[in-house]
């Protein structure tokens, strides 16, 4: 490598959250319980409207979207208009009221409302689900299914905490070290990134040079092609710096190594460090 490190920050001095409490919210468990009961759900007329009810509305307003009948809305779904949906809560079929949308009055008539009702899960439902889903094969009771859901959630949050801390440390070291990038190496890697961008766009029938501002914002969250190339250059800098750092930690002679050889070195030393210094407390 012709790029090199002037000064390398000590990753052991990087700040990160060293104590994390992991728990599984009951709302997550209940949402996963729906997998057991979904095939047994039924709909029934709703009386007092609450979140999740599906209503049919008749709307009168100077606003085109809010001046029609036969409008289907899921209360609290946020797909129609959050403010109007919140105003529906507590009403009932047959109610008429006026709501405000963007400062304009909207006359609302609730013509119909239905509610999806899920039964209480049973061991029989759990056993049936376990037969059809290998990862739940041992969960033949509701209690076992619940425990599995909660444990899976906690394990995922542990992984997120671990790799979140790793990313925090990486960002800190990369921004607190002094790197000397070889322009030729950097340009070559940036060009490789841009080649990938063009290839991926070509698969969708688009050309990078012809992307509109709106398309650039959609694909890359930037306003111009120049900003896209600058982003690819920053990614190349990050890749080269990370490779040099890993090589230095492992005692590799950096001037004799290629980027490809350094890229084969993993982040195990950093994961080990975080595992040794991160305390995770589980709340059951």
């Amino acid at each position: 490598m012709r790029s090199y490190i002037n000064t390398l920050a000590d990753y052991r001095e990087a700040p990160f959250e060293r104590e994390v409490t992991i728990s599984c919210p009951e709302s997550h468990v209940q949402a996963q319980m729906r997998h057991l009961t979904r095939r047994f759900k039924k709909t029934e007329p709703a009386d007092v409207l609450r979140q999740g009810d599906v209503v049919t509305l008749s709307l009168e307003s100077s606003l085109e979207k809010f001046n029609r009948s036969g409008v289907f809305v899921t209360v609290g779904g946020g797909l129609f208009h959050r403010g109007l949906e919140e105003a529906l809560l507590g009403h009932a079929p047959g109610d008429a009221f006026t709501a405000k949308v963007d400062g304009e009055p909207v006359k609302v008539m609730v013509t119909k409302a239905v509610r999806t009702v899920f039964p209480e899960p049973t061991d029989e439902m759990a056993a049936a689900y376990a037969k059809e889903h290998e990862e739940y094969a041992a969960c033949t009771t509701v209690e076992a299914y619940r425990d599995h859901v909660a444990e899976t959630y906690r394990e995922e949050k542990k992984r997120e905490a671990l790799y979140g801390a790793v990313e925090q440390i990486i960002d800190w070291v990369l921004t607190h070290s002094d790197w000397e990038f070889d322009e030729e190496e950097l340009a070559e890697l940036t060009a490789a990134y841009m080649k990938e961008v063009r290839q991926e766009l070509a698969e969708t029938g688009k050309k990078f040079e012809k992307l509109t501002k709106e398309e650039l914002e959609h694909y890359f969250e930037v306003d111009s092609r120049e900003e896209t190339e600058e982003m690819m250059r920053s990614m190349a800098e990050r890749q080269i710096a990370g490779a040099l750092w890993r090589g230095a930690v492992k005692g590799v002679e950096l001037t004799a190594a290629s980027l490809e050889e350094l890229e084969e070195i993993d982040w195990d030393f950093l994961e080990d460090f975080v595992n040794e210094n991160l305390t995770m407390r589980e709340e059951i």
Side-chain angles (χ1 to χ4, degrees), residues 44-82:
E44 60 184 33
D47 42 17
V48 178
L49 299 183
R50 64 190 190 201
Q51 184 148 330
D53 291 344
V54 178
V55 298
T56 307
L57 305 177
S58 179
L59 306 174
E60 292 183 27
S61 169
S62 60
L63 303 172
E64 183 178 353
K65 178 180 177 180
F66 301 90
N67 190 42
R68 49 201 176 100
S69 59
V71 180
F72 293 94
V73 175
T74 299
V75 179
L79 299 177
F80 186 67
H81 185 277
R82 189 169 300 279

Side-chain angles (χ1 to χ4, degrees), residues 218-261:
H218 172 73
Y219 288 114
F220 309 109
E221 297 182 352
V222 298
D223 294 329
S224 67
R225 279 178 281 279
E226 291 75 19
E227 285 183 90
T228 306
E229 293 179 358
E230 288 174 9
M231 182 170 63
M232 296 302 119
R233 180 183 170 89
S234 294
M235 290 172 59
E237 288 181 349
R238 184 181 178 91
Q239 183 176 345
I240 291 172
L244 290 171
W245 172 18
R246 297 196 302 278
V249 170
K250 295 295 184 178
V252 175
E253 178 55 54
L254 300 179
T255 57
S258 67
L259 179 60
E260 290 73 18
E261 290 170 333

Side-chain angles (χ1 to χ4, degrees), residues 104-131:
E104 293 293 324
V106 177
K107 293 182 179 179
V108 181
M109 167 66 79
V110 182
T111 58
K112 185 179 179 182
V114 295
R115 178 173 300 151
T116 300
V117 179
F118 292 83
E120 286 296 314
T122 64
D123 289 347
E124 290 75 14
M125 293 178 188
Y129 190 81
K131 285 183 179 180

Side-chain angles (χ1 to χ4, degrees), residues 23-37:
S23 63
C24 179
E26 181 62 21
S27 58
H28 175 76
V29 175
Q30 290 302 319
Q32 295 303 305
M33 284 290 181
R34 295 286 176 85
H35 293 303
L36 302 184
T37 59

